Amino acid sequence: MAIFTSTTQNIPPTAAVPRHVAIIMDGNGRWAKKRFMPRVAGHHRGVETVRDTVRHCLERGIEYLTLFAFSSENWRRPEEEVTLLMQLFVHALQKEVAKLHRNGVRLRVVGDLSRFDPHLQSLIQASEASTAENSRLTLTIAANYGGRWDILQAVNRMAQAQPAKLGNWTEADLAPWLSMSYAPEPDLFIRTGGEERVSNFLLWQLAYTEFYFTDTLWPEFDATAFDAAIVSYQQRERRFGRTSEQLQGAAEAGAPVSPNGTSADA
Ligand code: IPE
Ligand code: IPE
Ligand code: MG
């Protein structure tokens, strides 16, 4: 299992194209309501946006795409909407996985899957297994996912694995137990639909992620809208705690900046 740099322990390499993009796909219901359609019509249209977004990531060379599909709090929705969302998930897996595989996409699903019906659980397992060797793009679907759930399940598993270290656990001890330990931390977080909140998404992993909020509703989030988010990302200065002067000094010297924040050849 690949262990990636923690943004709080080391300064990760950064590039013009974000390596990992994490998206809260919000606004399906409002998109449908505007059209006097049932909310589920918005979810159907949202699946098409997922397809376009995956294609765009492949074209742009983004290596990790993580999509928030169903939060641990979304069970609070009306029962018929929850049921329809589950059916849509099953349907999308059945329909799309072969194509994902042909395009070199590795599929992962993170979240507390134990609450899903056994048929969906085995479909997820089979989809992950059939795409496990792909490496062009890792597509993660967060389903019945909550950032607090993730941290707690990781702490519990770490405590079971290393009980004697109680009181001395480190970030490095915890990291391998987090549900996305196979991916670097997100470079860019996007939330569509106008709300500016995290809604219990990747709480641990977003420590140094750049945030981008747009009023565009998820069903309308097209390639142009995605590119606008990437352009915004490219204009950010990612300091990871350092000063702007440190970054500029290193750039002028043509030297990479070392993990302790000074120019590497200083
Ligand atoms: C996001 O769209 C999809 C899920 C949460 C499953 P919403 O269903 O939250 O759409 P709005 O926010 O009501 O418009
Ligand atoms: C966040 O959207 C979860 C997903 C997109 C899956 P919500 O629509 O559930 O978030 P809140 O309730 O507005 O915070
Ligand atoms: Mg919403």
Side-chain angles (χ1 to χ4, degrees), residues 114-164:
S114 68
R115 203 164 157 189
F116 293 147
D117 81 51
H119 171 60
L120 179 51
Q121 289 186 41
S122 56
L123 200 56
I124 289 169
Q125 256 178 17
S127 306
E128 287 185 329
S130 70
T131 61
E133 302 304 319
N134 297 332
S135 57
R136 194 169 159 208
L137 169 68
T138 299
L139 169 63
T140 301
I141 304 295
N144 193 20
Y145 179 87
R148 291 186 180 181
W149 164 83
D150 194 4
I151 293 167
L152 276 171
Q153 66 81 26
V155 168
N156 282 319
R157 291 198 294 156
M158 174 188 68
Q160 266 161 15
Q162 291 179 281

Side-chain angles (χ1 to χ4, degrees), residues 24 26 189-199 212-214:
I24 298 189
D26 198 18
F189 161 100
I190 298 172
R191 182 172 187 146
T192 63
E195 311 296 349
E196 301 190 350
R197 54 177 170 254
V198 175
S199 299
Y212 180 85
F213 296 99
T214 172

Side-chain angles (χ1 to χ4, degrees), residues 25-30 39 43 69 74 77 81 85:
M25 312 183 283
D26 198 18
N28 293 349
R30 280 163 287 162
R39 292 179 55 83
H43 298 316
N74 284 144
R77 293 191 176 197
E81 181 169 344
L85 281 167

